[in-house]
Amino acid sequence: MTAGLLAQYVMNGLMLGMMYALVAVGFTLFFGVLDVIKFSHGDVLTVGAFTALATYVALHTAGAGSRWLELIAMLVAAILAMAFLGVLIARYLVLPLRSAPPLNTLLITLMLGTVLRESIRLFYPQGANPKPFPALLPKGSIDLGGFNLRADNVLMLAAGAAAIIGLQALLNRTKLGLAIRAVAQDEETARTMGIDFTAVVLVTFAIGSALAAFAGVMNGLYYNEINFGIGLYLGVIGFSAAIIGGLGSVYGAILGGFLFAGLQVLGTVLPFASAYKDVFAFAVVIALMAWRPTGLIQEKISERV
């Protein structure tokens, strides 16, 4: 294998890992503050991607001539809409079931995911068919000795890294982040300190859902195509990444996302067909979970959220 080809594999792994990490962070935020697994998270990603596409179609039809304006409008519309959807899910589906058995929350979010996914398939124009996603980022590239460094990939990686760094800054350097971490550590003590538990939960679900929307748009820009099932696939991978990283730890979710992507890329270069890359990645994840059930970042040394 040449150095250029190796660099290309690394870049592919970084792109996939960034998307998986953004999804996994959402799972770990929800679990951190409320101890729930929100199985509709991946389908929120799908709705976010289709919201962005609908925004593009509306702007393009109206004659908006700027690619950057269309891209920014798509991102803003998808992020705000999914943040609002996350608030609605937390307020009217998850919080009312706090005193119910955890399986009830798991089941209701699982069913909600099916409702979201099937709604897109049934009600979006020709929603059952894959949809071309506009390639709005610059397509220029630099040849570095067999490694084709694309400008759009660099921009997406930078944007994803900025989103994760921004989340870390919010959690560690703001009063809102302090409140989120306090609720994640000890809900009762946080209430005693005067923290509005319900408001913190709603904001956390808004943040996690907005990150899913961002990942959905990034997925569309990367593959230039979306379909109503992308969230189901990315949701399973994101949840797996959060588990192997250490559910409840943002750092663990990020680590798990890039680890899963690395396993998939490794699966494409091992001496069997690349079609089995998911089988290889999930098999390794199963082995890791059996070896370390609490995740790679052990519970006793990790700090929730």
Side-chain angles (χ1 to χ4, degrees):
M1 179 183 296
T2 65
L5 184 58
L6 176 62
Q8 196 68 60
Y9 280 125
V10 171
M11 175 57 81
N12 294 343
L14 290 175
M15 286 300 303
L16 293 175
M18 186 62 74
M19 285 185 274
Y20 299 161
L22 289 171
V23 181
V25 166
F27 276 109
T28 214
L29 284 176
F30 305 146
F31 184 80
V33 298
L34 217 51
D35 281 351
V36 299
I37 305 298
K38 177 171 164 278
F39 271 121
S40 59
H41 189 49
D43 297 294
V44 170
L45 178 152
T46 305
V47 178
F50 274 84
T51 300
L53 180 60
T55 303
Y56 168 78
V57 172
L59 288 174
H60 201 67
T61 304
S66 170
R67 285 188 164 197
W68 290 108
L69 174 62
E70 291 171 342
L71 180 59
I72 293 172
M74 290 165 64
L75 275 172
V76 171
I79 288 173
L80 291 182
M82 292 312 99
F84 183 62
L85 179 59
V87 169
L88 292 180
I89 292 172
R91 180 66 184 85
Y92 296 106
L93 292 181
V94 178
L95 283 175
L97 291 177
R98 284 220 70 202
S99 57
L103 279 178
N104 290 24
T105 304
L106 187 152
L107 182 59
I108 200 169
T109 58
L110 188 64
M111 291 190 293
L112 173 65
T114 303
V115 169
L116 294 175
R117 187 167 58 252
E118 290 300 309
S119 294
I120 290 175
R121 187 176 70 86
L122 294 172
F123 299 115
Y124 197 91
Q126 298 183 345
N129 300 327
K131 302 292 182 189
F133 204 84
L136 298 175
L137 291 173
K139 285 295 184 183
S141 62
I142 303 173
D143 188 4
L144 301 173
F147 168 46
N148 191 30
L149 181 61
R150 290 170 44 180
D152 57 344
N153 287 359
V154 173
L155 289 173
M156 281 189 278
L157 271 180
I164 290 176
I165 293 171
L167 175 66
Q168 283 296 321
L170 184 147
L171 291 175
N172 296 315
R173 298 178 184 276
T174 67
K175 289 185 178 179
L176 173 61
L178 181 63
I180 292 174
R181 288 188 289 125
V183 168
Q185 293 297 322
D186 190 329
E187 175 190 333
E188 293 304 321
T189 302
R191 288 180 186 271
T192 305
M193 294 169 62
I195 294 174
D196 188 334
F197 172 76
T198 301
V200 168
V201 170
L202 297 183
V203 169
T204 304
F205 271 67
I207 294 172
S209 300
L211 288 175
F214 188 85
V217 174
M218 182 181 289
N219 184 268
L221 292 171
Y222 185 60
Y223 291 109
N224 295 134
E225 182 181 284
I226 58 174
N227 63 73
F228 74 99
I230 57 171
L232 185 61
Y233 177 71
L234 288 175
V236 171
I237 291 179
F239 181 56
S240 302
I243 291 290
I244 59 175
L247 195 57
S249 165
V250 170
Y251 295 111
I254 296 170
L255 172 65
F258 282 99
L259 175 62
F260 196 97
L263 290 172
Q264 281 187 318
V265 173
L266 181 60
T268 63
V269 299
L270 290 178
F272 46 76
S274 62
Y276 296 102
K277 67 181 190 311
D278 287 341
V279 175
F280 171 74
F282 278 112
V284 174
V285 167
I286 291 170
L288 285 174
M289 290 173 63
W291 170 57
R292 195 179 287 266
T294 58
L296 296 178
I297 296 183
Q298 296 181 37
E299 189 174 352
K300 63 180 181 181
I301 62 173
S302 67
E303 181 180 357
R304 276 194 160 194
V305 180

